[in-house]
């Protein structure tokens, strides 16, 4: 029988997790409450499979099989009980995630995971009846290209659950690290530090976005600069994470005012077409104007 993998939330991460799970042979149920986002996710998945065929990574038949393995659901109420895996990938807000995890747990999955980037697993598990089956399954963006899976283990997580998560990583073609439950884990705590400092430097007028990014790429051999990475992650997602880390570690993680302003202006990065750069059809097309101190636009963006 086909094993069942439920993904809750069909945003940037949920659709990526659905893509790799379908590729690993799971029957995937992609749960999305926003009808338009659900439709957009299916469209994006179809594009990804078309591209994989064009690049010779999959045959047309394999791509069609993977596509057929994904079913969209409008809510967890539409999902039958006892799936093999449920991973939640809803926005990074404690109350929302706890509510979703409680509904997910009621379906009695063998393994329950959260794709949280920063919220302690212990906080998410507080109301769970079986926290021993729960752990963090932190995938990276874009999920089909990034091999790391950060498995976050709380005090209540059973060793069998950690083993199951490590086995899942192997099946999905991911390379796992197992980390102790602390806000921001191993990855976000370091990555967000760099991203927030780059935004403060931009606000201070140290250099253009492109030159700040180039400094890290050429000077430190980072594959991508911290501002472009923030555009890919989503400025709103980074803001949520910064607030979580600020609550845990203090003001060294306070979100810079510029980040708050850009999110309020709807400049969320690649997904909205504009962040620190402009994005056209998913491709970076140049620097953008930053809001001036009075909310007017001032030309501090960068070319390229
Ligand atoms: N974006 C990244 O690069 C990245 C990387 C690693 C981890 N994460 C984490 O993954 C999670 C999701 O991030 P994202 O960038 O995909 O967010 P997103 O905003 O792109 O997608 C979240 C989706 O969840 C849906 N949703 C909200 N409530 C729901 C519910 N009750 N049931 C079903 N769907 C619901 C929303 O409509 C939206 O489509 C967050 O915890 C984030 O911190 C994000």
């Amino acid at each position: 029988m086909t094993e069942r993998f439920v993904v809750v939330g069909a945003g940037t991460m949920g659709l990526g997790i659905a893509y790799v799970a379908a590729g690993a042979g799971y029957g995937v149920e992609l749960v999305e409450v926003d009808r338009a986002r659900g439709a957009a996710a299916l469209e994006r998945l179809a594009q990804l499979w078309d591209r994989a065929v064009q690049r010779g990574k999959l045959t047309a038949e394999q791509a069609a099989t993977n596509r057929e393995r994904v079913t969209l659901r409008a809510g967890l109420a539409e999902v039958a009980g006892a799936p093999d895996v449920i991973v939640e990938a809803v926005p990074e807000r404690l109350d929302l995630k706890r509510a979703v995890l409680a509904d997910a747990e009621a379906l009695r999955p063998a393994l329950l995971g959260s794709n949280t980037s920063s919220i302690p697993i212990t906080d998410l598990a507080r109301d769970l009846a079986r926290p021993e089956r729960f752990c963090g399954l932190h995938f990276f963006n874009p999920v089909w290209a990034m091999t790391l899976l950060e498995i976050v283990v709380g005090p209540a997580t059973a060793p069998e659950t950690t083993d199951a998560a490590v086995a899942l990583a192997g099946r999905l073609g991911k390379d796992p690290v197992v980390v102790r439950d602390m806000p921001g884990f191993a990855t976000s705590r370091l990555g967000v530090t760099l991203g927030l400092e780059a935004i403060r430097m931009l606000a201070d007028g140290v250099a253009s976005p492109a030159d700040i990014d180039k400094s890290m790429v050429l000077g430190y051999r980072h594959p991508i600069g911290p501002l472009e990475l923030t555009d890919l992650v989503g400025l709103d997602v980074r803001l949520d994470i910064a607030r979580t880390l600020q609550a845990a570690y203090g003001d060294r993680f306070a979100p810079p005012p510029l980040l708050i302003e850009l999110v309020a202006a709807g400049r969320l990065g690649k997904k909205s077409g504009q962040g620190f750069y402009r994005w056209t059809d998913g491709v970076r097309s140049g620097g953008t104007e930053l809001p001036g101190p009075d909310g007017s636009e001032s030309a501090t963006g960068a070319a390229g």
Side-chain angles (χ1 to χ4, degrees):
M1 215 172 74
T2 309
E3 290 166 276
R4 293 171 55 221
F5 194 126
V6 179
V7 183
V8 191
T12 309
M13 297 306 291
L15 82 88
I17 297 166
Y19 181 86
V20 296
Y26 284 99
V28 178
E29 293 166 75
L30 185 54
V31 180
E32 172 57 61
V33 286
D34 181 324
R35 192 185 283 262
R37 277 187 158 239
L42 287 188
E43 209 170 292
R44 176 85 179 114
L45 282 170
Q47 281 171 4
L48 288 170
W49 277 311
D50 286 347
R51 209 174 60 184
V53 173
Q54 283 158 16
R55 291 183 176 176
K57 297 197 165 166
L58 292 177
T59 65
E61 200 175 42
Q62 285 169 327
T65 303
N66 289 355
R67 192 185 299 197
E68 280 163 21
R69 287 188 182 131
V70 179
T71 310
L72 190 64
R73 306 269 187 227
L76 276 168
E78 290 184 8
V79 176
D84 296 279
V85 185
I86 302 184
V87 177
E88 72 75 17
V90 301
E92 188 79 343
R93 288 196 286 278
L94 179 63
D95 289 351
L96 173 63
K97 284 193 183 287
R98 282 172 68 184
V100 166
L101 287 167
D103 290 346
E105 184 186 52
L107 293 169
R108 292 170 289 104
L111 175 63
L112 178 61
S114 169
N115 190 48
T116 179
S117 337
S118 61
I119 304 174
I121 294 306
T122 312
D123 291 349
L124 291 174
R126 213 177 302 149
D127 296 333
L128 294 182
R130 294 184 305 169
E132 64 278 5
R133 296 217 178 178
F134 175 62
C135 66
L137 292 174
H138 185 197
F139 291 86
F140 290 77
N141 182 19
V143 182
W144 49 89
M146 300 292 284
T147 50
L148 183 64
L149 179 64
E150 188 174 40
I151 298 170
V152 184
V153 173
T157 306
E160 299 76 30
T161 299
T162 309
D163 292 347
V166 170
L168 177 70
R171 175 145 172 199
L172 299 178
K174 303 297 172 202
D175 201 344
V177 289
V178 176
V179 307
R180 189 160 75 85
D181 188 28
M182 293 281 286
F185 321 126
T187 50
S188 298
R189 190 163 157 187
L190 274 180
V192 169
T193 300
L194 196 67
L196 295 181
E197 200 57 32
I199 297 168
R200 291 188 196 104
M201 286 165 59
L202 183 62
D204 287 348
V206 172
S208 66
D211 281 350
I212 290 173
D213 280 347
K214 196 170 162 185
S215 303
M216 286 295 105
V217 172
L218 298 186
Y220 283 73
R221 290 202 184 187
H222 287 198
I224 184 174
L227 295 171
E228 185 171 359
L229 183 60
T230 303
D231 267 10
L232 296 186
V233 169
L235 275 66
D236 52 338
V237 175
R238 277 266 157 116
L239 178 59
D240 284 342
I241 298 171
R243 287 185 166 139
T244 301
L245 295 181
Q246 182 185 19
Y249 299 115
D251 283 346
R252 71 184 202 262
F253 284 102
L258 177 59
L259 177 62
I260 296 169
E261 277 170 45
L262 292 175
V263 171
R267 284 175 49 175
L268 308 182
K270 184 178 176 184
K271 65 185 166 188
S272 72
Q274 202 182 1
F276 298 107
Y277 298 95
R278 198 166 288 118
W279 296 84
T280 311
D281 297 329
V283 176
R284 207 186 102 178
S285 59
T288 67
E289 315 272 291
L290 295 174
D294 56 356
S296 64
E297 299 277 306
S298 66
T300 46

